[in-house]
Amino acid sequence: MSRIYTIKNKLVESRLFLNRIISAFILILLLTSGLIVRLIYLQIVGHEHYATLAKDNSIKIEPLVPTRGIIYDRHGKVLADNTQSFSLELIPEQISDLDDTLLRLQKLLNISDEKIDQYQKQRKRQKRFVSTPLLISMTDEELAKFAVVRPYFPGVDIQARLVRHYPYAELASHVVGYVGRINEAEMKSLPIAEYRGSTHVGKIGIENTYETELHGKTGYAEIETNVQARAINTVNSVPPVPGENLYLTLDIDLQKTAYDALDGFNGAVVAIDIKTGGVLVFASRPGFDPNPFVIGIANDAYQALQSSENQPLYNRALRGLYPPGSTIKPFIALAGLEYNAISAEHKLFCPGYYQLPNVSHHYRDWKKGGHGSVNMTEAITQSCDVYFYSLASMLGIDRMHDFLQHFGFGEKTGIDLSGEKPGLMPSREWKRSQRNQSWYPGETLITGIGQGYLQVTPIQLAKATATLANKGKVVMPFLVKNTVSPELTESDVENPPSDITLKPENINSIISAMVNVIHDPHGTAKGISKDINYQIAGKTGTAQVFNIKQDAKYNENDIDFKLRDHALFISFAPADDPKIAVAVIVENGGHGGSVAAPIAGQVIKQFLGGQQ
């Protein structure tokens, strides 16, 4: 067998080996160049960007929530403050069996299923190592019960927090308002930077209107964290700016007098300082306790408030719409004088009813036999309906509309509370646009005695009364007198009013007639003139809740309570130098002189004391 020998070509092999070495060198050179370029980029070009990312991985920005400002009345009495409260909080990461722990806590402290559900929703939005409250504002009994078994609940502890508190509860609920947990809709509209970390926001009343001032400015802390995002150290911090303290014009003692005087009735009382426009009383009854809304009111309790026929959540002083009844008569009388439609001395005969020409319908007076022949003073003093039917016919709806608008009827007062209603001052144009109907002469007549389409709010009626007492200088009502920040700076609230040009003799005639309502033996509110050494000017009113047929007789004892007439009263005092104006509306109260007037009398007498 023969062998075959291959002769090696050393030259070819050498060349192949050299090519491989060159290729490997070029590859190494390219890779090294790429690494050098990348290092240059990371160290120089992208340094700032990657340094920021690295810092973000180790530094977290934690918001520092400011302390909410305190609300005071005009004398410095606290209406809303922040009190220390104890909450039961859980750290899920430290609890081996969360469901079992919640079940045992529920049995121990009688926690509702609703609160358990709220806790579950809240803790799912947070890290497992974050302390999340289950109960807020724990009672002494709850604290004692948990203290005994505390060692058996790892990961559960008591924490102290500041919680909004309203010491006067329902007494000032509609004016001060309340704070509640921020909902999703509010979170979208609130400034994100300012409300990071905040859980509550003003819902109604002053708490809502002055939310920005009361909330303050959120601070922040730069927290160094580890890879699990747990805090290690505070690197830097900017302290929060506490919310401003608000001083209201409200007198809480006077408010209590008005609220208590409404006992047994629903209604509203508004009193205004005529010299400044500051609201002294802003009472709406029934009210409600705002404190449960802060910690989260139970659903059944909230539904009970909403479904109550007395509507405790309804702000009657700001949003209640009522026919003004005879309280409108001084303004109609003043319009008659200003337009020269009638003189103060001119007498009209009242047989107990009024008829339009060629119309059989009788527009009845409240006094069946009539008042006989009366002038303007007597008509206001005795509240003669027939006189004002006739005067309204002389004026016409157009002039009545224009004149009453000067006093703010049909318009918002501009008080510093949200949700105010403007009332309704009807006109031909309004009826044509809203109802596609013509205006009828009979509607002019009943507008002249404060019935028909005409509607007012208590705050609106109080403003108009104050303006009347001020002889045409418009009084602009407001509630926040000034704000006092922790640095003790003040900023007074001013809203310069415009004037209504009135003839002095005309306004003096109206005021004189309104004094007679209280101090004349025939006055409809003569009962409140006792035990004072000054004069009160006022006007009673009764507003129908439903229409009575032509020949039917009204007997409040034979009808349901909710169908009885509303009782109204407007007043100011002292008549010669007015300082306070009061408007009272008592739902289904019946008679302004016997029910509403005494309430105003209590407020005026307390405010003025023995002043002459």
Side-chain angles (χ1 to χ4, degrees), residues 437-468:
Q437 295 176 351
S438 300
W439 186 267
Y440 299 111
E443 293 168 335
T444 299
L445 302 186
I446 60 176
T447 301
I449 65 164
Q451 293 287 166
Y453 298 117
L454 181 59
Q455 290 184 321
V456 300
T457 62
I459 179 62
Q460 193 179 65
L461 196 56
K463 174 192 174 181
T465 303
T467 300
L468 183 70

Side-chain angles (χ1 to χ4, degrees), residues 409-453:
F409 291 106
E411 299 175 350
K412 295 180 180 180
T413 66
I415 188 172
D416 44 349
L417 287 177
S418 59
E420 181 184 8
K421 286 190 176 180
L424 174 60
M425 183 63 236
S427 65
R428 296 180 192 276
E429 290 73 19
W430 168 82
K431 192 178 180 190
R432 190 179 296 112
S433 64
Q434 297 298 315
R435 305 209 170 191
N436 197 27
Q437 295 176 351
S438 300
W439 186 267
Y440 299 111
E443 293 168 335
T444 299
L445 302 186
I446 60 176
T447 301
I449 65 164
Q451 293 287 166
Y453 298 117

Side-chain angles (χ1 to χ4, degrees), residues 517-518 523-530 593 598 605:
V517 171
I518 286 86
T524 54
K526 57 183 179 293
I528 69 168
S529 61
K530 300 177 182 179
K605 291 172 184 178

